[in-house]
Amino acid sequence: MSVYASLFIDYENVYYHLTNKYADIPELNDYVIDLLMNLNAYLEKEYGLLTIISNAYADYERIKATPQQSLFLSGVETVYVMGTDHKNAADMRLCIDAMDVLAKRPEIDTFVVFAGDRDYIPLIQHLKKQAKKVFAVGFESSFSGDLLTNVGQSNFIDALKLFAPERLRKLEESASRQKDYEKAEAERDAERTKALKEKVSKETSVKKRAAEPPEDGHWFNIVNPDLNDEERTCLQFIITEYGRHHEIWLGPLLDSLPQALPTLADYQRKRVISDLEHKGAFCIEKRIGTPHDYAVAILNYNHPVVREMC
């Protein structure tokens, strides 16, 4: 028989850790969703825990690619907290809600806290005093040693190990590509500024640097024509619906994908998009916008499957 559990996620803590460790790639929120789904599966498989409450706390206005819809469709309730420059308000709201569950839901025996800083020590200590089982989830490289002492090594779950190896490799490759792109952009901006100040046009003579993108100006992964049925269906839909556009806004594209892949869940459809990018069918790039930045998908017309479908 499953034991009921509640999961409290400091979403800002998770998101910004991955941003700092890897890069602020457009699809980073999709990887966080994967992480949460894998965590629920791990808790059920290893400990027989059925998570009946899942809350994610953040000032979502500060997160560029807002994940509320994806979290909702994955069974996670988003709790908006107004952040400040001095203190992450998610800590306080998370603790208040955990205490509320402790008082009102006696059938919940296990509390899972996905966070990594020492501010959660009083909460962990109080839950343990009430004879509740407590697990802490976080990233070992940045997890508070004091918090680990209080929760116990056996009750700590390293979030990074919840990623499937292939998925983690894709995250690392996407982050590396994003950093190379940003470095190349900064170098090009510096060159343009220098050329403007010197009033010398060197557009046709500047030697290409190794960090620059290819001639078409976009970063495509190494082409892999081995697409499965779901990837082919998705790609055909994109080409049919949006192929005439040079840049395809990622938000509207994701909203329309249920037409092409109705049997898949939201996070699974996003994984198909991620896999297609990984196989070089298109690339995803960030654009500066008002009031928020946005992401676009750019088809790789040199990809053999794209040429075949066009």
Side-chain angles (χ1 to χ4, degrees):
M1 181 178 179
S2 296
V3 177
Y4 295 135
S6 56
L7 171 61
F8 299 92
I9 307 149
D10 186 336
Y11 196 89
E12 290 183 354
N13 182 288
V14 179
Y15 180 86
Y16 289 118
H17 173 88
L18 292 176
T19 296
N20 294 332
K21 182 176 177 62
Y22 297 102
D24 191 7
I25 56 177
E27 68 273 25
L28 186 60
N29 281 308
D30 301 341
Y31 286 93
V32 180
I33 299 295
D34 275 359
L35 197 58
L36 298 179
M37 300 301 292
N38 293 345
L39 173 59
N40 281 330
Y42 176 83
L43 291 171
E44 184 170 5
K45 178 181 178 182
E46 296 296 325
Y47 303 102
L49 293 173
L50 181 62
T51 305
I52 60 174
I53 294 176
S54 295
N55 292 348
Y57 302 81
D59 183 348
Y60 291 103
E61 291 184 356
R62 295 189 176 192
I63 297 177
K64 293 180 180 179
T66 54
Q68 292 96 316
Q69 181 183 28
S70 296
L71 286 168
F72 172 77
L73 293 173
S74 301
V76 180
E77 181 177 349
T78 58
V79 181
Y80 171 79
V81 290
M82 184 177 296
T84 69
D85 294 333
H86 303 288
K87 178 64 180 171
N88 179 7
D91 297 9
M92 183 177 296
R93 179 62 189 273
L94 187 155
C95 292
I96 291 173
D97 286 357
M99 296 297 292
D100 189 58
V101 171
L102 175 66
K104 298 179 179 178
R105 301 294 297 273
E107 75 276 16
I108 296 179
D109 296 316
T110 303
F111 288 73
V112 183
V113 180
F114 197 159
D117 61 72
R118 66 197 308 270
D119 293 336
Y120 293 102
I121 290 176
L123 173 64
I124 300 298
Q125 291 177 340
H126 185 75
L127 291 172
K128 290 173 67 177
K129 287 178 182 178
Q130 304 305 311
K132 300 298 183 181
K133 182 71 173 178
V134 182
F135 288 97
V137 187
F139 301 95
E140 191 170 24
S141 60
S142 62
F143 199 80
S144 165
D146 294 326
L147 183 59
L148 182 61
T149 298
N150 276 269
V151 75
Q153 183 68 52
S154 61
N155 297 323
F156 169 71
I157 300 171
D158 186 357
L160 205 59
K161 294 181 179 178
L162 295 173
F163 279 120
E166 174 67 14
R167 192 68 170 150
L168 182 59
R169 184 172 65 84
K170 289 179 181 177
L171 172 58
E172 292 169 346
E173 290 176 355
S174 296
S176 177
R177 252 186 348 113
Q178 180 70 22
K179 290 178 180 178
D180 287 345
Y181 174 78
E182 291 172 355
K183 179 181 178 182
E185 279 290 292
E187 290 177 354
R188 286 197 298 277
D189 287 344
E191 288 293 334
R192 295 187 190 105
T193 301
K194 180 180 178 181
L196 182 62
K197 288 180 178 180
E198 295 175 352
K199 296 182 179 181
V200 176
S201 176
K202 299 181 179 180
E203 294 179 358
T204 59
S205 60
V206 174
K207 186 178 180 180
K208 285 182 177 288
R209 298 184 300 274
E212 288 184 331
E215 292 182 358
D216 60 8
H218 304 298
W219 291 85
F220 295 107
N221 278 327
I222 296 174
V223 169
N224 179 357
D226 185 21
L227 306 186
N228 61 34
D229 291 342
E230 291 173 347
E231 292 165 352
R232 281 183 168 272
T233 299
C234 181
L235 185 58
Q236 183 65 73
F237 175 79
I238 293 173
I239 292 172
T240 301
E241 296 293 322
Y242 303 97
R244 64 186 181 278
H245 300 292
H246 175 63
E247 294 187 349
I248 305 167
W249 283 30
L250 196 59
L253 169 60
L254 293 174
D255 289 341
S256 64
L257 271 188
Q259 301 175 43
L261 302 168
T263 61
L264 299 187
D266 180 72
Y267 78 96
Q268 292 172 320
R269 290 191 292 269
K270 289 185 175 181
R271 181 174 295 180
V272 172
I273 290 290
S274 178
D275 290 344
L276 281 171
E277 183 195 19
H278 183 70
K279 293 180 178 181
F282 52 76
C283 66
I284 296 175
E285 296 180 0
K286 297 179 71 172
R287 295 288 183 267
I288 297 174
T290 303
H292 302 294
D293 294 349
Y294 60 96
V296 297
I298 300 172
L299 282 170
N300 180 7
Y301 288 99
N302 291 320
H303 192 285
V305 181
V306 175
R307 290 202 306 268
E308 169 195 326
M309 291 181 175
C310 286

